[in-house]
Amino acid sequence: MKIAILRPYRRSRSQTEIVGYECLGETLNPFSLIKEDFTNVKQNDPALHSTFELFFNYPGLWALLFHRIAHWFYNKGLRFLPRFISAIGQFLTTVDIHPAAQIGRRVFIDHGVGVVIGETAIVGDDVVIYQQVTLGGVSLTKGKRHPTVGNNVVIGAGAKILGNITIGDDAKIGANSVVIKNVPPKTTAVGIPARVLQYEKSATKLSHDEMPDINKEIFKYLLKRIEILESAIESGESKDIRQKDHDLEIDYDDFIHSMD
């Protein structure tokens, strides 16, 4: 079974380092991978209280099971049987994974409902994908047209990652973000379209509460600006107002440059 083994490479574009991945591929026993998928959930999901729950409450896990089998047949040159197995998995789990998609080890599709992973998508190891995520294409031409997701990536609920782009290792994609450009390693992408923010990697992989809120920061800036203007009108003193305005502009400029 061909599994995504990702080797990083770098290229420069307009003095910005872009990190991508080449899929080397490796033949692994699909049943060993399925066993590892089940073990991964048991070891890492605090909501799991018994092995019995795995059979009824984890559609993402079962979607991976169907995909591992379908992908194995697909790599043997078959086409109808893998699509048939994939269709059964989609009907039972509401997760749509093309049998040609390359899914790494210990991937966890949490909740699962509405996840779509396209034909040429590549997903690395230890990736967490939440419900309603789409790894989709933006082209009708054949060839690589879906995203490549690196290792240890967290993709929040409802996020759409579109086109032949690369999500670097340890990156986080905020919920409901629409990503159409490369995301460097160890950064966070949020918004529509997504903006890339630098962040210090948290010790907790699923620290969604630490993701920056762009809209919130902009509204805070506007409210502070209004407060300064109102204070200027009431007091009539310009020196102190100019200093506050200068300090506010520095804070705002730092925030904007964090998204470069």
Side-chain angles (χ1 to χ4, degrees):
M1 182 177 185
K2 194 176 183 183
I3 293 299
I5 306 298
L6 303 180
R7 180 179 66 191
Y9 67 88
R10 288 174 169 81
R11 65 179 185 273
S12 177
R13 181 186 297 170
S14 302
Q15 299 181 341
T16 300
E17 187 177 57
I18 302 298
V19 179
Y21 293 88
E22 298 173 317
C23 180
L24 306 181
E26 182 174 271
T27 301
L28 297 174
N29 185 333
F31 295 102
S32 297
L33 290 166
I34 291 169
K35 181 180 178 181
E36 190 174 50
D37 290 335
F38 275 77
T39 302
N40 181 48
V41 175
K42 292 171 68 176
Q43 291 179 345
N44 296 297
D45 188 2
L48 179 67
H49 299 290
S50 70
T51 303
F52 185 74
E53 294 179 23
L54 289 173
F55 296 93
F56 298 99
N57 300 106
Y58 288 84
L61 179 60
W62 287 97
L64 283 174
L65 182 149
F66 282 104
H67 172 73
R68 302 291 193 196
I69 298 172
H71 187 67
W72 186 83
F73 282 113
Y74 193 92
N75 284 336
K76 297 298 181 182
L78 301 175
R79 291 298 177 262
F80 173 76
L81 181 58
R83 294 307 297 266
F84 182 70
I85 295 172
S86 178
I88 294 174
Q90 181 183 356
F91 176 78
L92 295 175
T93 67
T94 71
V95 176
D96 182 6
I97 308 177
H98 193 285
Q102 300 180 49
I103 310 294
R105 301 173 63 182
R106 298 177 300 277
V107 171
F108 182 28
I109 302 177
D110 200 4
H111 303 292
V113 176
V115 170
V116 177
I117 301 178
E119 178 186 14
T120 62
I122 300 173
V123 179
D125 298 337
D126 302 297
V127 173
V128 178
I129 300 174
Y130 284 89
Q131 66 272 19
Q132 301 293 335
V133 165
T134 297
L135 304 183
V138 294
S139 171
L140 297 178
T141 60
K142 292 185 179 294
K144 186 75 167 74
R145 60 189 185 279
H146 295 92
T148 296
V149 178
N151 302 318
N152 300 299
V153 173
V154 178
I155 306 177
K160 315 300 177 188
I161 305 176
L162 306 175
N164 182 19
I165 60 176
T166 297
I167 310 300
D169 290 348
D170 300 303
K172 293 183 179 181
I173 308 300
N176 295 315
S177 299
V178 178
V179 185
I180 55 176
K181 295 181 180 179
N182 292 328
V183 177
K186 299 182 180 179
T187 59
T188 297
V190 294
I192 303 176
R195 301 289 298 271
V196 175
L197 308 173
Q198 301 293 330
Y199 83 98
E200 295 294 329
K201 185 179 178 184
S202 171
T204 303
K205 184 176 182 180
L206 306 181
S207 53
H208 300 283
D209 57 312
E210 297 178 9
M211 286 190 174
D213 187 333
I214 295 176
N215 293 329
K216 178 182 176 181
E217 295 299 324
I218 292 176
F219 275 113
K220 284 172 61 178
Y221 167 78
L222 292 174
L223 290 173
K224 287 182 180 178
R225 169 69 65 189
I226 292 171
E227 181 182 348
I228 290 173
L229 293 174
E230 288 178 343
S231 177
I233 293 172
E234 292 176 0
S235 65
E237 298 179 3
S238 61
K239 183 177 180 181
D240 187 50
I241 299 302
R242 282 198 296 268
Q243 182 61 44
K244 290 181 179 179
D245 183 64
H246 177 69
D247 294 341
L248 179 60
E249 287 301 317
I250 291 176
D251 291 340
Y252 182 71
D253 190 62
D254 291 342
F255 175 72
I256 292 298
H257 279 86
S258 73
M259 297 186 285
D260 291 342

